[in-house]
Amino acid sequence: MRKNKFGISELTAQRGSRVSAPRALECPVQMEAKVVHVHELAADDAVWRGNLVAIEVRITHVHADPKIMMDGHPNRVDPDKWRPLIMSFQEFYGLAPGKLQRSELGQIPEVYYRPPGWTPAS
């Protein structure tokens, strides 16, 4: 039996309220979104053309755990109650200095992220 990403990560798939994609129940903040436009980048570069895109989305619904909401403000997240995990350059960080934990993505050599035929500029 093949596991999906929720089974592998041991997260609970929760049905979205406005989109068909599932969301992870264990995440304190979840945003449902629909793709508005896919912008192709570097269209004038023979090597990067077709390899880079920016995806524009419209947030349709936000799910936030009540435990992280600001007292007296039901539509505001309290930054003292929620400390999000941030990925920067393939490594995990929080709001304090230093890495928080090991990242599997951080173990992948950078060369594997380059398109075929790419050479560094001299």
Side-chain angles (χ1 to χ4, degrees), residues 3 11 13-14 25 37 40 42 47 54 59 65 69 74 84 86 95-97 103-104 109 116:
K3 285 187 174 184
L11 295 173
Q14 181 78 28
L25 185 63
H37 192 77
E40 291 190 34
V47 173
I59 303 299
D65 188 319
M69 302 309 289
I86 300 165
L95 299 178
S103 164
E104 290 300 319

Side-chain angles (χ1 to χ4, degrees), residues 65-120:
D65 188 319
K67 291 182 281 202
I68 66 167
M69 302 309 289
M70 189 176 286
D71 296 333
H73 297 277
N75 294 317
R76 292 186 185 174
V77 172
D78 187 331
D80 291 325
K81 294 179 181 177
W82 184 48
R83 306 309 260 178
L85 183 64
I86 300 165
M87 179 167 268
S88 178
F89 295 96
Q90 302 173 346
E91 298 292 344
F92 291 117
Y93 292 86
L95 299 178
K99 292 179 198 172
L100 292 179
Q101 64 189 53
R102 181 178 186 271
S103 164
E104 290 300 319
L105 287 175
Q107 309 311 306
I108 300 170
E110 187 179 320
V111 68
Y112 292 117
Y113 290 100
R114 297 177 184 149
W118 182 85
T119 56

